Amino acid sequence: MRKLFSAIALTLCAVLSVSACTGKNSDPNTSDNNEQPAPGAPNPDATPGIQTIDGYKTDARLGDGLAHIDLELPWSDGGPELMTKGRFQVLSLDRKGDNVRMVAAWLEPESGPFMGSRALASGMDALNYSPTTKLWDPQTNEIISPLQLNDESNRDKCHCSGIHSRSSDVPTTKERVELFWVDFPAPANKEVRVIPSEWSGPIDQPITITDNQPFTNPAPDIATFADNEDPADEYGSPEAKRYIDKLQDKTESLLGSSTTTVDVTTALNITADVLFDFDKSEINDKGHTVLSNVAKTLNQQAAGQTVKVVGHTDAKGDENYNKKLSEDRAKAVEKELQPQLTNVQLETEGRGETQPIAKNFDSQGHDLKANQAKNRRVSFEFKPTDTKDLQVDTGQRTNDVPKVKSITPPDGALASAEFLLPESHDNPIRIDINKVAEKDGYVRLDYGFSVTGNTPNFSYFSGVPGNTEFQFGLNDFTGGLAPSSGYVSLIDSNNIMHFSPQVAGRGCLCTEATGTDRAGYSTPAPMYGYFPKKLLDEGKVTLRIGDSGKWDIDLKDLEARSK
């Protein structure tokens, strides 16, 4: 009879919650209380000390956590390449006032090479190790960055603890679980997703934010924060800077215009360099032709609306001067354009350098000239009747790139191709597409890159940061040399529109910087990007990898083979 009841209990346990049923009550050293802790809650009555649970070393008193993700990266300390592993486990996400605090554990694998928590750090200062974790509110489509203690150009000074463990070829022997905390501005909604680092995608499991239930460490003898300093009771600080950025659809036409869409409002962007001479606000000869094309588009797409004409500049020079120049340029466009419009009214605004669509300078303060040209623009903000073919011929053309060479994919990959970085290395890069899936209203593309030949090559991606021939294009997010997904775009089946990954002010819903930094390994480094779902509906698209190559792929076929 006892066996029968045990079988029934196990069956119910599996049906109700696999993660909540760990069998801990069968341990004679645990409490006699039959009531189990809630899923994800700490279990202070569990047996203390380091033990292996689900393949990772932890203290059972910490519980299973609210959500977790297992991460992998190639690594080497100068010897052979190794694939390191680590688990990011969220223990608490709590709101107090206008801020929330996340407490997480970084767990070592039971065996094999260990990925140190420093892999979660990036930023501009190579000697600073702060987590680059973010929150994503899918309901408002906002990315919430950690509270910052300095200006927005640097990610190193978040309101957070440090992370200090190093990768190694074997797990450490320390009887310790590493904890860390990060403070954020409070999201608008209670349920969010956690993005562990600049290179890893969001954790699938949503997390519900608690109210005024701060983390209480159930295992202070084993689980400790950096330098053994617990976080302050107050979440955040009054002087901390807050960054909550809306996700945007960002497209570039092969004819030279671009669009950014937030919610239902679209900005049609025309580079100011085709409208005005340098430092001028009088429309030039070429500008008259371009604005005639703009008028045709607005008459078709904005009938019955008031369109806001917005002037923008780059960040060079005096801020007040740039503001005045942007205002004068917007007014000049309005004067030229209004007589050509029927049933469309215009209003103007100058925003100067306050709303860049790309970084103006690299991490050393050097000009990123290609980005500055994008920021010098005039935008037309309205609600288009059809965004599918929203473009204006500016007389500029996007440079074409060579096709990559398709190759037989390795085990675990759906498709593979290789290409050479222009004028950089003799060893080609291999791109592996690992998964295509509809996710959260987008299509998510998971892929990885590796380097053939003599590896590891720790300076494979060294070069001039502003040179688009490196790093899969410019790294607009960290300003460093590590490759990013920002310029890995999808081109529609008509070969007209480039679709970038979803961008959000200081970052993107994509790999902002690879976890392998500037190194090239023969084992793929993971990357990802979220794109508009309509591209999945089209099926056949072209994957463009910066200025290095393009690859014709079938998203529908890849999605079907991903399941």
Side-chain angles (χ1 to χ4, degrees):
M1 182 64 71
R2 180 177 298 176
K3 291 182 179 180
L4 176 60
F5 283 130
S6 297
I8 294 172
L10 287 172
T11 302
L12 287 173
C13 189
V15 170
L16 292 173
S17 174
V18 173
S19 61
C21 300
T22 60
K24 291 185 179 71
N25 272 1
S26 63
D27 192 321
N29 294 320
T30 60
S31 170
D32 290 330
N33 190 345
N34 289 326
E35 184 177 344
Q36 290 289 310
N43 187 7
D45 295 327
T47 302
I50 292 293
Q51 55 189 288
T52 298
I53 300 177
D54 193 26
Y56 285 86
K57 296 160 61 177
T58 185
D59 189 304
R61 290 174 292 175
L62 293 172
D64 297 324
L66 304 176
H68 73 265
I69 186 172
D70 296 340
L71 302 175
E72 296 185 344
L73 274 182
W75 170 84
S76 172
D77 62 353
E81 289 183 24
L82 302 169
M83 181 59 80
T84 61
K85 298 180 180 181
R87 173 171 287 182
F88 183 106
Q89 184 180 62
V90 181
L91 301 176
S92 172
L93 190 59
D94 183 64
R95 175 172 181 156
K96 189 183 292 185
D98 293 332
N99 301 316
V100 299
R101 172 169 293 164
M102 182 199 75
V103 176
W106 183 249
L107 305 182
E108 299 183 18
E110 176 187 14
S111 60
F114 164 57
M115 183 198 307
S117 61
R118 288 187 177 187
L120 303 176
S122 182
M124 310 301 179
D125 184 353
L127 299 180
N128 185 283
Y129 294 99
S130 301
T132 54
T133 305
K134 295 182 180 180
L135 304 179
W136 173 27
D137 184 341
Q139 296 182 63
T140 60
N141 248 358
E142 291 175 329
I143 299 294
I144 300 98
S145 298
L147 292 169
Q148 295 290 315
L149 301 179
N150 60 2
D151 65 71
E152 65 177 30
S153 65
N154 192 310
R155 300 182 176 201
D156 296 314
K157 307 299 181 185
C158 66
H159 204 277
C160 58
S161 64
I163 44 178
H164 295 299
S165 62
R166 299 173 180 268
S167 298
S168 65
D169 55 354
V170 294
T172 68
T173 58
K174 294 181 180 178
E175 293 288 302
R176 174 179 179 262
V177 173
E178 180 179 3
L179 301 181
F180 61 96
W181 59 270
V182 185
D183 286 349
F184 300 89
N189 294 288
K190 297 268 295 182
E191 192 171 86
V192 296
R193 304 269 294 282
V194 173
I195 305 174
S197 73
E198 291 177 333
W199 53 270
S200 60
I203 299 176
D204 284 338
Q205 184 177 350
I207 297 176
T208 300
I209 300 171
T210 58
D211 286 308
N212 293 305
Q213 298 179 35
F215 175 75
T216 300
N217 191 350
D221 53 326
I222 298 292
T224 59
F225 295 93
D227 303 321
N228 292 316
E229 292 186 5
D230 291 340
D233 291 338
E234 180 184 5
Y235 295 1
S237 60
E239 67 274 12
K241 293 178 171 57
R242 311 167 72 84
Y243 298 101
I244 300 178
D245 298 303
K246 277 271 190 182
L247 284 173
Q248 303 175 6
D249 283 337
K250 181 180 176 183
T251 67
E252 292 188 23
S253 166
L254 299 185
L255 300 179
S257 62
S258 68
T259 64
T260 50
T261 301
V262 180
D263 295 329
V264 296
T265 300
T266 294
L268 173 62
N269 306 309
I270 308 296
T271 176
D273 294 356
V274 301
L275 302 176
F276 308 96
D277 293 334
F278 176 73
D279 207 28
K280 302 294 183 183
S281 58
E282 296 81 24
I283 295 169
N284 59 27
D285 291 341
K286 189 175 183 179
H288 293 301
T289 302
V290 173
L291 289 177
S292 177
N293 294 333
V294 171
K296 294 175 184 176
T297 298
L298 293 181
N299 281 327
Q300 293 172 354
Q301 297 265 22
Q305 299 185 44
T306 297
V307 175
K308 182 174 287 187
V309 182
V310 184
H312 302 269
T313 68
D314 60 30
K316 298 189 68 174
D318 179 73
E319 182 177 352
N320 292 328
Y321 180 88
N322 287 337
K323 179 76 160 54
K324 179 67 165 53
L325 179 62
S326 69
E327 292 171 349
D328 292 343
R329 286 181 166 181
K331 291 175 182 177
V333 168
E334 178 194 33
K335 183 178 179 181
E336 170 81 10
L337 204 54
Q338 187 67 75
Q340 303 179 54
L341 300 175
T342 56
N343 198 23
V344 176
Q345 296 300 311
L346 301 178
E347 62 183 24
T348 66
E349 183 179 347
R351 297 176 187 163
E353 62 190 59
T354 61
Q355 291 188 352
I357 55 177
K359 290 180 71 72
N360 284 285
F361 310 103
D362 67 17
S363 56
Q364 285 77 45
H366 301 139
D367 290 345
L368 294 175
K369 294 184 178 180
N371 281 358
Q372 289 171 353
K374 293 179 181 180
N375 292 329
R376 296 189 298 269
R377 68 196 191 278
V378 175
S379 299
F380 302 88
E381 297 181 353
F382 62 104
K383 299 175 182 179
T385 57
D386 181 12
T387 59
K388 186 174 182 180
D389 192 26
L390 183 59
Q391 59 180 325
V392 170
D393 191 345
T394 67
Q396 296 182 319
R397 296 293 181 267
T398 302
N399 294 331
D400 198 10
V401 295
K403 285 193 173 185
V404 300
K405 177 185 176 183
S406 293
I407 60 174
T408 302
D411 291 343
L414 300 173
S416 298
E418 64 180 20
F419 64 93
L420 283 169
L421 287 181
E423 302 178 11
S424 55
H425 295 281
D426 294 330
N427 298 336
I429 290 180
R430 190 186 82 215
I431 296 287
D432 299 327
I433 296 178
N434 299 316
K435 189 175 183 179
V436 172
E438 183 180 342
K439 203 93 170 167
D440 307 302
Y442 300 98
V443 55
R444 172 168 165 166
L445 179 65
D446 284 279
Y447 57 102
F449 74 90
S450 56
V451 176
T452 64
N454 296 323
T455 58
N457 185 331
F458 295 108
S459 59
Y460 188 88
F461 290 99
S462 293
V464 180
N467 187 340
T468 59
E469 294 176 349
F470 291 91
Q471 314 163 15
F472 297 18
L474 291 172
N475 189 324
D476 287 341
F477 309 114
T478 67
L481 287 161
S484 86
S485 293
Y487 285 88
V488 178
S489 59
L490 294 176
I491 306 174
D492 65 9
S493 56
N494 295 320
N495 198 33
I496 293 176
M497 305 296 288
H498 284 256
F499 291 84
S500 299
Q502 295 292 297
V503 296
R506 295 163 53 83
C508 66
L509 207 50
C510 70
T511 298
E512 298 173 6
T514 56
T516 49
D517 195 33
R518 289 167 284 180
Y521 294 92
S522 63
T523 306
M527 301 180 81
Y528 79 99
Y530 279 66
F531 296 89
K533 178 185 173 295
K534 60 185 176 183
L535 293 170
L536 183 60
D537 299 331
E538 288 194 24
K540 293 183 178 181
V541 297
T542 299
L543 178 68
R544 176 163 172 154
I545 306 146
D547 288 337
S548 300
K550 60 184 180 181
W551 183 11
D552 294 332
I553 60 175
D554 189 331
L555 289 178
K556 283 186 176 178
D557 173 68
L558 292 168
E559 182 202 27
R561 293 195 285 127
S562 297
K563 295 178 179 178

